[in-house]
Amino acid sequence: MRSPHLLKAGSNARRVRDNLVGVIDRNALAQIDRELESNVVSLFNLANEHYEFAKGPAASSWRQRSSRLYYAAYAAVRAVKLEVDGHYSTDVKDHAKVADLPRALNNRERYKNSLGSLRDDRNLADYDHTAEVDELILDPRDAQDLVDSLLHDVRSLLTERGVKL
């Protein structure tokens, strides 16, 4: 992402926008709103790209599947966080917050309890050259079902909020 970019203006793009009310005109605020929505849609599309890729490899490619499933979930979470509360971060520490989900998300508790395991599995798959598939916390089929459900619930919340996906 190149500067200048709305998402680089601060850690919370919605707060930046809200602080500009009274400073810039209605048309400029509408342009910011369109830009925010465009980024939410792009993040959600990225989540779907990772998910579709993760479904392609054979079961023997569990490392690639685990990694892409996690990144599908992570991108979906980023999209919903940006839409709901304006949060956007590129800091590596943001991965530790993958399970910090908006209250409005359906099945939130299920995801809060499982996304950390999905992240741990991704780390195992990406960084432990001695790891075997049976060391994963989530069975790859269960991980795929989890991400499929998450994408469905994120899509529902975003469309309820008027985001045009």
Side-chain angles (χ1 to χ4, degrees), residues 1 7 10-12 43 74 78 81-82 86-95 97:
M1 172 180 311
L7 297 182
S11 64
N12 189 307
L43 280 167
Y74 180 63
R78 292 177 80 202
K81 285 181 179 181
L82 179 58
H87 175 79
Y88 181 83
S89 175
T90 57
D91 188 326
V92 69
K93 293 177 184 172
D94 194 52
H95 286 273
K97 300 174 186 172

Side-chain angles (χ1 to χ4, degrees), residues 15-160:
R15 191 175 309 128
V16 170
R17 181 241 185 250
D18 291 347
N19 280 308
L20 293 173
V21 173
V23 176
I24 61 176
D25 67 31
R26 224 177 321 152
N27 290 334
L29 287 171
Q31 186 174 353
I32 291 172
D33 291 338
R34 286 190 300 275
E35 182 65 20
L36 283 171
E37 182 170 317
S38 172
N39 281 275
V40 169
V41 170
S42 291
L43 280 167
F44 188 72
N45 288 342
L46 178 61
N48 281 293
E49 287 175 30
H50 285 305
Y51 180 68
E52 289 303 318
F53 185 85
K55 294 189 314 184
S60 61
S61 297
W62 64 271
R63 290 178 184 277
Q64 291 74 23
R65 290 173 57 92
S66 295
S67 185
R68 290 305 100 188
L69 286 170
Y70 168 75
Y71 281 110
Y74 180 63
V77 167
R78 292 177 80 202
V80 79
K81 285 181 179 181
L82 179 58
E83 171 59 27
V84 172
D85 66 15
H87 175 79
Y88 181 83
S89 175
T90 57
D91 188 326
V92 69
K93 293 177 184 172
D94 194 52
H95 286 273
K97 300 174 186 172
V98 69
D100 294 348
L101 303 166
R103 293 196 185 282
L105 184 65
N106 287 337
N107 300 305
R108 179 177 178 253
E109 290 304 313
R110 174 186 181 205
Y111 304 129
K112 281 181 67 170
N113 294 327
S114 301
L115 289 176
S117 296
L118 190 64
R119 179 177 177 240
D120 291 342
D121 284 348
R122 192 272 304 179
N123 286 335
L124 180 81
D126 285 355
Y127 301 120
D128 186 346
H129 65 283
T130 68
E132 300 289 334
V133 67
D134 62 352
E135 295 177 59
L136 295 172
I137 299 166
L138 298 173
D139 178 88
R141 290 176 303 261
D142 294 338
Q144 183 173 329
D145 290 343
L146 173 74
V147 175
D148 184 59
S149 178
L150 175 66
L151 290 171
H152 176 270
D153 289 338
V154 168
R155 176 182 294 279
S156 294
L157 180 58
L158 294 177
T159 54
E160 284 172 16

